[in-house]
Amino acid sequence: MRSREEVEATLHIAKLNPAELLPPVHCLSFSPRASAGECCLLQLEPGLCAALEAGHSLVIRGEKDEQAVLCSKDKTYDMKIADTSNMLLFIPGCKTPEQLLADQASCNIIHAQIAGFSNNYWELRKCRPKLKKLKKLLMENPYEGPDSEREKALSDSKYTMEDLLDRIQASEEEILHQLQVINACKIEGYWRVLEFDYEMKLLNHVTQLIDSESWSFSKVPLSICLQELGPLEPEEMIQHILLSYGMKYTDEDEVYFEMNADKICTATAQMLLQNAVKFNLAEFQEVWQQSVPEGLTTRLDQLKGLALLDRYSRPETIFLLKVEELPEDNQERFNRLFTIREKWTEADIAPYIQDLCAEKQTVAALLTKYARSSMQNGVKVYNSRRPIS
């Protein structure tokens, strides 16, 4: 235990002016049980600190073969160890200068024990949620309808929200948003995606009813859909397909859906393209327009992120290339794209890398980092910065 005289003697040796320091002095000693590695330090941004203080949880997610991430209720963060040249000390009950100024009754000598120490801490950096695995898990057992043989058989490949939170490296809000994006629905407590043929069957029921009743695609009444299609399919499936391909609204206490023409055209295109390696573009456009419901108009911009056009082949062709099936890692994504095509225009590649952009990052900035630009016939094109095997 140091005395005041010993403290002043130490200050004199260190050539420090006591008048420039606060009167209270912390005298530190190591606890017999103090050791490195017992505790981990985590550096938090103010928003995460406030969430913890409000009683919310932060969860570290990741399986053994995955880089751990930390998730709040609505955000995901990469975790990286940051080394520091200064030793960081864990001192329970240590008071800050502000606390000492506020507590005038503090004694001049404060003895405190060091409970642990570290030369590094966990640093957080906001990142994209790792959601590619979500669709993969749900596609293990897609829903084919209540009467399918597969549905009647017992299967373990069904996931509740708790199951998904255990397996997906993303926050709960990000997972819920992605479930909506991939048109998943909750069936008997489990999150499921519809098998594509069954989804198209449901959509065809709705579009054929719209045609037979001469309804506008902007005003499809829910009650009559349920009444007419109820004997064919479960009501919850009819509502789900209306929500997936339309927007719900109320008019004079009646529930209606405004159907999304682009989504219907895109789904029809996928149905046509999924069984062909390549399709003659002109023939495809003709068949596509004939296949969509009357009154809808197909456009090539509806295929962004779903199909790729080859304008340089003769005849011009189109083939299925879904952005959701490309790698999640930035470098792996670019490697795959440059394997498919050596040189890309920004317009062609943008739909396949847009989802890789971080906050406030543009497609152009991403291309600058991962690709090299050149001019080809007066058009700027991009190719890989590294050799592609």
Side-chain angles (χ1 to χ4, degrees):
M1 294 290 187
R2 287 187 175 185
S3 65
R4 186 75 202 185
E5 291 73 22
E6 289 173 317
V7 170
E8 289 177 356
T10 303
L11 290 174
H12 179 72
I13 293 169
K15 297 181 180 180
L16 294 174
N17 183 2
E20 296 176 353
L21 305 174
L22 292 175
V25 176
H26 275 94
C27 290
L28 306 180
S29 61
F30 280 90
S31 163
R33 296 190 297 274
S35 65
E38 290 285 319
C39 303
C40 291
L41 287 171
L42 188 63
Q43 187 180 58
L44 299 177
E45 61 182 38
L48 291 178
C49 281
L52 281 178
E53 289 166 353
H56 299 299
S57 298
L58 299 178
V59 185
I60 295 174
R61 294 196 170 111
E63 301 197 39
K64 288 182 180 179
D65 60 341
E66 296 172 328
Q67 176 73 37
V69 299
L70 182 135
C71 299
S72 65
K73 183 174 175 59
D74 60 351
K75 292 184 178 67
T76 302
Y77 299 84
D78 270 329
M79 300 178 67
K80 299 284 175 64
I81 289 181
D83 293 317
T84 172
S85 56
N86 297 322
M87 183 176 286
L88 304 169
L89 306 177
F90 310 148
I91 308 172
C94 183
K95 293 187 176 181
T96 65
E98 292 77 12
Q99 290 171 321
L100 291 171
L101 283 171
D103 185 8
Q104 297 297 331
S106 291
C107 59
N108 281 340
I109 303 292
I110 301 171
H111 295 280
Q113 280 200 330
I114 298 167
F117 54 90
S118 178
N119 287 105
N120 55 52
Y121 59 93
W122 286 99
E123 194 175 52
L124 302 181
R125 184 172 300 167
K126 191 174 180 305
C127 66
R128 297 192 316 274
K130 296 170 173 56
L131 295 163
K132 196 71 68 176
K133 190 176 175 183
L134 178 60
K135 181 80 176 278
K136 184 179 177 182
L137 288 176
L138 297 184
M139 286 304 293
E140 291 173 358
N141 185 15
Y143 185 70
E144 299 176 354
D147 300 323
S148 74
E149 291 301 318
R150 186 173 178 177
E151 200 58 34
K152 292 173 184 175
L154 294 174
S155 174
D156 295 329
S157 298
K158 293 180 183 178
Y159 299 95
T160 62
M161 176 53 75
E162 289 68 30
D163 296 330
L164 295 175
L165 287 169
D166 284 343
R167 290 167 172 79
I168 306 299
Q169 291 185 289
S171 69
E172 185 171 357
E173 285 193 14
E174 289 167 330
I175 291 174
L176 284 169
H177 174 72
Q178 187 64 14
L179 286 168
Q180 187 177 359
V181 169
I182 64 175
N183 293 335
C185 60
K186 214 170 186 179
I187 301 173
E188 297 178 351
Y190 297 98
W191 282 100
R192 310 287 299 276
V193 288
L194 304 190
E195 193 270 332
F196 185 66
D197 287 344
Y198 180 60
E199 182 176 328
M200 292 306 295
K201 177 184 173 184
L202 291 169
L203 182 59
N204 284 335
H205 282 325
V206 171
T207 56
Q208 285 171 12
L209 181 61
I210 292 170
D211 181 58
S212 66
E213 298 287 343
S214 299
W215 291 333
S216 164
F217 274 88
S218 63
K219 197 169 187 178
V220 178
L222 173 62
S223 58
I224 302 178
C225 284
L226 296 178
Q227 181 183 323
E228 294 294 325
L229 302 178
L232 303 175
E233 298 292 344
E235 288 190 0
E236 58 269 23
M237 288 296 99
I238 298 164
Q239 289 195 62
H240 174 66
I241 207 70
L242 287 167
L243 283 167
S244 299
Y245 288 89
M247 186 178 67
K248 187 177 180 179
Y249 68 96
T250 304
D251 184 16
E252 295 180 354
D253 297 327
E254 182 79 25
V255 177
Y256 294 94
F257 283 86
E258 180 179 355
M259 304 307 289
N260 187 314
D262 287 347
K263 280 188 175 182
I264 295 171
C265 291
T266 301
T268 306
Q270 181 178 336
M271 179 184 68
L272 295 171
L273 290 168
Q274 65 181 358
N275 296 319
V277 177
K278 281 193 176 181
F279 215 124
N280 178 302
L281 179 59
E283 292 177 1
F284 167 76
Q285 287 182 280
E286 184 180 346
V287 173
W288 184 26
Q289 182 59 58
Q290 291 170 355
S291 301
V292 299
E294 191 176 345
L296 301 188
T297 303
T298 58
R299 304 186 315 277
L300 289 176
D301 68 313
Q302 293 165 340
L303 304 181
K304 288 181 178 178
L306 174 72
L308 187 62
L309 277 62
D310 187 349
R311 296 286 193 183
Y312 297 99
S313 66
R314 290 293 175 267
E316 295 178 347
T317 58
I318 184 171
F319 60 93
L320 196 67
L321 181 61
K322 298 160 75 172
V323 64
E324 64 194 55
E325 294 178 356
L326 294 174
E328 202 163 31
D329 176 75
N330 288 18
Q331 189 61 64
E332 288 179 20
R333 174 82 61 90
F334 274 92
N335 288 350
R336 177 74 63 82
L337 291 171
F338 287 124
T339 301
I340 293 168
R341 177 180 288 181
E342 184 183 356
K343 294 183 179 182
W344 294 72
T345 63
E346 183 174 342
D348 283 346
I349 202 171
Y352 293 103
I353 60 172
Q354 184 71 56
D355 63 314
L356 299 180
C357 293
E359 253 183 303
K360 299 179 182 177
Q361 187 180 31
T362 62
V363 165
L366 205 60
L367 285 168
T368 300
K369 183 175 181 180
Y370 291 97
R372 182 181 287 110
S373 66
S374 60
M375 298 300 290
Q376 181 175 296
N377 299 326
V379 178
K380 182 183 277 192
V381 292
Y382 295 87
N383 63 290
S384 179
R385 283 188 172 274
R386 54 177 66 183
I388 300 295
S389 56

